[in-house]
Amino acid sequence: MPKFEKVRVPADGQKIEYKNGKLQVPDQPIIPFIEGDGTGPDIWRASKVVFDAAVEKAYKGKRRLVWMETFAGLGALQQYDKDTVLPQETLDAITEFRVAIKGPLTTPVGGHKFVCLTCSAEQNEADGKRPQSCSKCSSEWVTPRFRSVNVGLRQKLDLYACVRPVRWFKGVPCPVKAPEKLDIVIFRENTEDVYAGIEFEYGTPAAKKLYDFLTNEMRVKIPFADSGLGIKPISVTGTKRLVRMAIAYAIAHNKPSVTLVHKGNIQKFTEGAFRDWGYEVARTEFRDKVVTEQELRDQHQGKVPAGKVLIKDRIADQTFQQLLLRPDEYSVLATPNLNGDYISDAAAAQVGGLGMAPGANIGDGVAVFEATHGTAPKYAGKDQVNPGSLLLSGAMMLEHLGWQEPADLIVDALQATISKKTVTYDLERQMEGAKTLKTSEFARAVVSNMTARKEPAAV
Ligand code: NAP
């Protein structure tokens, strides 16, 4: 087992391995967790009780999750004698043990780190203002290191897919008439697009240099000279690995379709290319398992052949309408970074808000599951907030491990608890006749609503 400074590796668990593109999960896998800041510890404590109970109920002791604490955010500042919210050892532990789960994290304001894109030197600017040039090599290309710990985790571990299932839980108040019709999984590209962080502030020498290059050498017309400039990279590699993951997921889970969501009508060589490369992955790598919308019209009289996943594409703005008006025509969505960001939150709002929305950041052989809301600091330590998002993220994690039974137990028990109108304050204030439970009481209610199996599930 590896040696860490602050992370204690439990002696009674085993490492998850990754061989030939597949996770090999022992019966007692070591799972790194980050409690999170603010209300993170409240929801983590509650969720852990539910996760352990679900695994015990499903496998009767034959399997167990072995938790290993790692640190990030404010917790890392307290643990380590360094000015870092994302210690290297946390990244190393997650890389080594492969599947992790985290609560929400604060991105402290101040002490901003910048990195030089030419020589990779890092420098701290206490006022948060971008230095105009690198202190080591004088290059003007200096960009913020991490905008948040979450972005840092995604970049450092190359967690290239942000996966967000969005569905309605019966009884959760929401703004639409038939929320049950929305049941989608969004695969949002996590590493490129306008989120690559390549931006140049108006008035800086770097922005002027780029402006001059574009106007003089590339002969493009930028409407106004007083512009900040940004770069939107979308690559063959980034697109194909994301779409490949989305299609493989759809096939494995018997989902009817994968929709490539893009703005290719306007941005042809980035968003349009995303669509084209997405179809290319479908046709070349999943030929026997998929049918495109074009093929459906030309060869199949509009009827999807049995056992095939339909691959289609939609313009991003259209997709917002479609998810509201014809939600049941959509299942798995694969999107570039910015589209996915907007669509994930809009879809979650449609079924009652972010409070119950789980999420995961997944790469090749490494995955971090997380609550999608923030730290809600005004409720910190009050045992009050809704642990639903972290609970569902944990269910996703169990499914990712191949432990479907405890994942189902959690989802079903959560539904049962909401149906009984025993909920945390955020849902109670919108539900008639509901009873308010504390975070810990809600977790205990979820556990008591788990239907115990007579026999352990097959291992
Ligand atoms: P927030 O923490 O999500 O809280 C905003 C509001 O959402 C809360 O005041 C509360 O609403 C509601 N809320 C959030 N989580 C809830 C829960 N579990 N149960 C019930 N209600 C919940 O957003 P923020 O105040 O903008 O951000 C605070 C900090 O979180 C910032 O430092 C930010 O950087 C960080 N953040 C982290 C993540 C992450 O780690 N994934 C994501 C977003 C933000 P009411 O007041 O109406 O009850």
Side-chain angles (χ1 to χ4, degrees):
M1 288 286 177
K3 285 240 175 315
F4 296 108
E5 187 192 338
K6 300 281 182 184
V7 174
R8 301 273 164 267
V9 180
D12 55 344
Q14 298 97 40
K15 261 170 45 177
I16 294 173
E17 302 286 352
Y18 183 65
K19 286 195 185 134
N20 304 323
K22 289 213 164 100
L23 289 182
Q24 298 189 337
V25 183
D27 285 340
Q28 302 197 346
I30 295 175
I31 308 287
F33 71 92
I34 299 166
E35 268 198 339
D37 301 322
T39 48
D42 301 65
I43 58 172
W44 169 254
R45 269 192 301 274
S47 301
K48 182 176 169 297
V49 169
V50 174
F51 302 150
D52 289 340
V55 172
E56 171 58 28
K57 281 211 157 75
Y59 300 125
K60 309 263 184 252
K62 291 193 171 178
R63 280 177 171 165
R64 186 168 64 89
L65 296 167
V66 181
W67 301 106
M68 179 176 83
E69 182 159 22
T70 57
F71 307 95
L74 301 182
L77 292 178
Q78 285 157 13
Q79 282 292 328
Y80 295 86
D81 191 20
K82 290 180 195 134
D83 178 22
T84 178
V85 285
L86 185 53
Q88 185 58 42
E89 115 165 347
T90 297
L91 295 166
D92 293 344
I94 296 174
T95 308
E96 181 85 26
F97 292 91
R98 299 200 171 275
V99 176
I101 185 161
K102 63 174 272 292
L105 293 169
T106 307
T107 303
V109 180
H112 295 240
K113 218 170 223 178
F114 292 83
V115 67
C116 172
L117 289 182
T118 308
C119 74
S120 294
E122 289 186 1
Q123 54 192 104
N124 247 327
E125 295 295 318
D127 62 2
K129 279 206 178 138
R130 179 199 307 266
Q132 291 223 335
S133 60
C134 171
S135 56
K136 290 232 168 81
C137 73
S138 303
S139 164
E140 286 157 2
W141 301 65
V142 180
T143 190
R145 185 59 165 170
F146 299 131
R147 271 163 293 173
S148 75
V149 187
N150 299 309
V151 175
L153 270 172
R154 287 170 206 163
Q155 287 180 350
K156 286 273 191 178
L157 299 174
D158 196 23
L159 305 173
Y160 60 83
C162 174
V163 184
R164 294 258 185 104
V166 185
R167 55 161 286 199
W168 182 62
F169 280 84
K170 202 167 176 220
V172 171
C174 71
V176 299
K177 281 187 192 153
E180 70 284 356
K181 288 189 177 172
L182 188 77
D183 185 0
I184 57 174
V185 183
I186 301 164
F187 285 74
R188 163 189 167 197
E189 205 289 326
N190 232 353
T191 61
E192 45 184 18
D193 199 348
V194 289
Y195 287 70
I198 311 172
E199 284 204 313
F200 302 93
E201 190 180 352
Y202 166 62
T204 59
K208 178 157 184 346
K209 200 168 176 177
L210 184 57
Y211 179 86
D212 289 345
F213 171 72
L214 290 170
T215 50
N216 300 333
E217 292 192 38
M218 301 299 287
R219 301 269 165 214
V220 297
K221 185 164 166 32
I222 297 173
F224 298 103
D226 51 354
S227 299
L229 298 171
I231 305 255
K232 176 188 173 90
I234 289 197
S235 66
V236 177
T237 307
T239 300
K240 285 195 169 178
R241 64 184 183 171
L242 185 270
V243 175
R244 184 178 297 123
M245 191 188 277
I247 298 177
Y249 174 90
I251 292 169
H253 292 80
N254 294 320
K255 298 285 182 183
S257 68
V258 175
T259 306
L260 307 168
V261 182
H262 60 90
K263 194 69 191 152
N265 51 334
I266 306 295
Q267 302 163 54
K268 298 189 177 10
F269 305 125
T270 49
E271 302 260 336
F274 177 89
R275 174 203 55 206
D276 296 344
W277 295 326
Y279 276 120
E280 201 177 304
V281 171
R283 286 198 201 94
T284 55
E285 300 182 25
F286 298 95
R287 186 58 281 183
D288 298 346
K289 307 261 170 58
V290 301
V291 60
T292 65
E293 223 167 18
Q294 183 71 44
E295 291 164 350
L296 202 63
R297 279 192 292 268
D298 296 347
Q299 300 162 25
H300 302 282
Q301 292 81 47
K303 208 168 176 302
V304 181
K308 302 241 177 179
V309 175
L310 175 63
I311 309 292
K312 51 188 174 177
D313 75 280
R314 293 289 181 273
I315 306 269
D317 39 332
Q318 244 267 70
T319 308
F320 282 90
Q321 281 194 56
Q322 296 269 313
L323 290 182
L324 272 168
L325 300 175
R326 290 147 71 175
D328 44 359
E329 290 179 17
Y330 295 87
S331 174
V332 174
L333 275 62
T335 84
N337 211 333
L338 182 62
N339 299 338
D341 195 1
Y342 294 158
I343 288 173
S344 301
D345 280 18
Q350 195 168 322
V351 292
L354 281 177
M356 298 280 292
N361 293 295
I362 303 182
D364 291 327
V366 183
V368 178
F369 294 79
E370 65 174 357
T372 52
H373 54 74
T375 60
K378 68 181 175 189
Y379 298 110
K382 293 190 174 162
D383 195 19
Q384 201 172 345
V385 295
N386 187 349
S389 174
L390 192 59
L391 285 177
L392 290 170
S393 301
M396 272 178 91
M397 181 186 81
L398 291 164
E399 199 177 306
H400 187 73
L401 298 178
W403 294 15
Q404 192 63 49
E405 299 84 357
D408 291 345
L409 282 174
I410 293 171
V411 175
D412 294 350
L414 189 65
Q415 176 63 80
T417 311
I418 294 168
S419 295
K420 289 181 181 172
K421 295 193 171 189
T422 45
V423 289
T424 45
Y425 82 94
D426 52 314
L427 296 182
E428 186 276 339
R429 67 187 171 188
Q430 305 173 70
M431 286 163 84
E432 222 158 277
K435 181 180 173 203
T436 309
L437 298 185
K438 289 176 178 295
T439 314
S440 52
E441 293 168 340
F442 183 76
R444 284 198 291 276
V446 172
V447 171
S448 68
N449 286 325
M450 277 177 198
T451 315
R453 289 166 183 262
K454 288 199 179 71
E455 296 298 323
V459 171

